[in-house]
Amino acid sequence: MDEGSYARPDVRPLGAVPPAAAQTLWSVQVMRGLAALMVVIGHSQSAVGGVVAASGGTFARSTIVPWGAGVDLFFVISGFIMVHASRTLFARPGARAEFLRRRLVRVVPLYWLVTTLFLLLLSAAALKGGDALPGVGVTLASYAFLPMDTLGDGQLFPIYDLGWTLNYEMFFYALLALVVAWPRGRALSYLAVMLVALVVVGSWVPTGSALWFWTRPILMDFGLGLAIGALLARGVVLPGAARLALVGAGLIALLLDPLHVFDGRAGETVANAWPRVFAAGVPVTAVLAGAVLGREPAMPRLARPFGRLGDASYSLYLFHPFALIVMEKLAQKLAPVRDAPGWLLVIATIAAAVALGFVAYRWIERPITVAAARRTLSDRRSSHVPASSPPEPSRRAAQPLQRRARAGSDLS
């Protein structure tokens, strides 16, 4: 963003490949990077804890930051971005098709790729006597973003566990697609009512079904971000003191975790229920509001690495489990790795994951999303369906063969 510029900035969706001249709210980019890094740190600690325990040692993971709240930060940012980035679509002809085209281009290619790569790993393990491959039904459900009990244990995770968050994302996109053809104010009101109604209905839905999954209170994280996007769209600007107070109060509430949502034992699952929304969703929303509801200064030099991390956050999120896989395999085969201090392993794993994320962003995510955007835009033009604006392509750790993501107590 140009220094001193505030009017109508663009925010790139998670994983987007932006036009060269696009402006961004750098604070949102930084928060994306921090959200992905929080998830990676939490997963890395869980994985290293397993390695250390297998060697007969103990590893005390850090809970100074609620690492699993990175998922809530992703969801709140997503709600905000969907309002802000879609501001030119509301009430336009063909808005639903164009909105869905953008979202599919953003999310689907990279997720399908990592799901396929993980299936190849599972296939190799099955050939060596490991667990049988998932059935055709659950495999198709994973590719279709449909919640399903993959292992028959009552937990609704796709084959690639990380995809549980994308199952929520895609559901939220589907809801927004239903209303985007209306004027923005009416559309957002309808969407807010739908989110609240779904969560209310969820109080009576039996556990273990797709409807139960799609009616968890964590949906309100998207609604909170949506509210901030609506305030920005209406031109709301808060005084500097109020913005600082929001950021400070949000950070304090998040770090204190007064409801003790994120400090359970490793292996415990954090429910996507109201305590999580209050402990993570509300505080990160306060931080987001303080960041975006006012004039944004020039990006500090110290924040630039996290802005770069924000650009690569989708790749980092989806590919970091493969860095954890390599660490676990090396620990199985090499005594120096197996016997290394736990925190040294954590730091090395995080560094490897970040490096892999940047490589995947540069050499995989950007090319395939640009290609998908061009292909879908070409298809729309050839069928004489006008595109409303230039293409906007793209946005638990899977414990391979051991379901690591499910074991990370901070992350579901």
Side-chain angles (χ1 to χ4, degrees), residues 30-371:
V30 167
M31 283 188 278
R32 282 179 178 149
L34 290 173
L37 191 59
M38 288 168 68
V39 172
V40 171
I41 292 173
H43 284 162
S44 297
Q45 290 187 83
S46 295
V48 169
V51 168
V52 173
S55 301
T58 58
F59 174 76
R61 65 189 180 92
S62 168
T63 57
I64 191 172
V65 172
W67 310 108
V71 168
D72 299 86
L73 181 53
F74 271 136
F75 285 176
V76 171
I77 289 174
S78 183
F80 168 78
I81 288 174
M82 289 307 99
V83 177
H84 187 73
S86 301
R87 61 187 181 274
T88 62
L89 286 182
F90 289 107
R92 295 191 61 168
R96 290 190 178 97
E98 175 64 8
F99 174 80
L100 289 174
R101 183 191 71 83
R102 295 182 184 185
R103 302 284 69 80
L104 293 175
V105 164
R106 166 194 167 187
V107 173
V108 170
L110 201 64
Y111 178 65
W112 280 6
L113 174 63
V114 295
T115 297
T116 302
L117 291 175
F118 190 64
L119 274 172
L120 291 175
L121 290 178
L122 293 180
S123 299
L127 291 174
K128 295 180 180 180
D131 293 337
L133 287 173
V136 174
V138 295
T139 300
L140 293 177
S142 293
Y143 281 102
F145 301 95
L146 299 175
M148 198 165 184
D149 183 359
T150 302
L151 295 182
D153 57 2
Q155 300 191 63
L156 301 177
F157 289 95
I159 291 171
Y160 194 61
D161 288 6
L162 286 172
W164 73 272
T165 61
L166 296 180
N167 287 350
Y168 276 115
E169 289 270 2
M170 295 298 280
F171 182 63
F172 177 66
Y173 297 161
L175 295 178
L176 183 50
L178 292 176
V179 301
V180 73
W182 282 299
R184 183 179 61 211
R186 188 191 307 175
L188 297 184
S189 297
Y190 290 162
L191 182 56
V193 169
M194 284 193 290
L195 291 174
V196 172
L198 284 166
V199 173
V200 170
V201 169
S203 302
W204 291 279
V205 175
T207 61
S209 65
L211 180 58
W212 177 84
F213 180 90
W214 283 325
T215 55
R216 295 304 84 214
I218 199 171
L219 279 178
M220 299 310 299
D221 283 352
F222 295 101
L224 292 169
L226 182 152
I228 304 304
L231 291 175
L232 182 64
R234 292 176 64 88
V236 173
V237 176
L238 299 179
R243 295 171 65 196
L244 286 175
L246 281 171
V247 172
L251 289 175
I252 290 172
L254 183 67
L255 295 176
L256 289 179
D257 187 16
L259 301 179
H260 303 289
V261 171
F262 294 99
D263 60 1
R265 300 191 317 271
E268 289 183 344
T269 297
V270 179
N272 296 326
W274 283 113
R276 179 171 193 159
V277 176
F278 289 122
V282 172
V284 301
T285 301
V287 174
L288 178 65
V292 303
L293 295 180
R295 183 177 298 276
E296 189 173 55
M299 186 178 191
R301 190 175 299 271
L302 290 176
R304 291 177 185 174
F306 294 101
R308 299 290 186 218
L309 203 61
D311 292 341
S313 56
Y314 189 40
S315 287
L316 176 57
Y317 181 73
L318 285 183
F319 276 91
H320 80 268
F322 295 99
L324 275 60
I325 293 171
V326 172
M327 183 275 296
E328 290 177 333
K329 293 302 181 183
L330 290 176
Q332 291 174 8
K333 297 179 181 299
L334 301 176
V337 176
R338 186 167 55 249
D339 298 334
W343 276 104
L344 181 59
L345 276 181
V346 169
I347 293 171
T349 303
I350 293 169
V354 170
L356 177 60
F358 277 120
V359 169
Y361 172 66
R362 174 63 180 84
W363 298 105
I364 301 176
E365 178 188 345
R366 286 174 60 100
I368 66 174
T369 51
V370 167

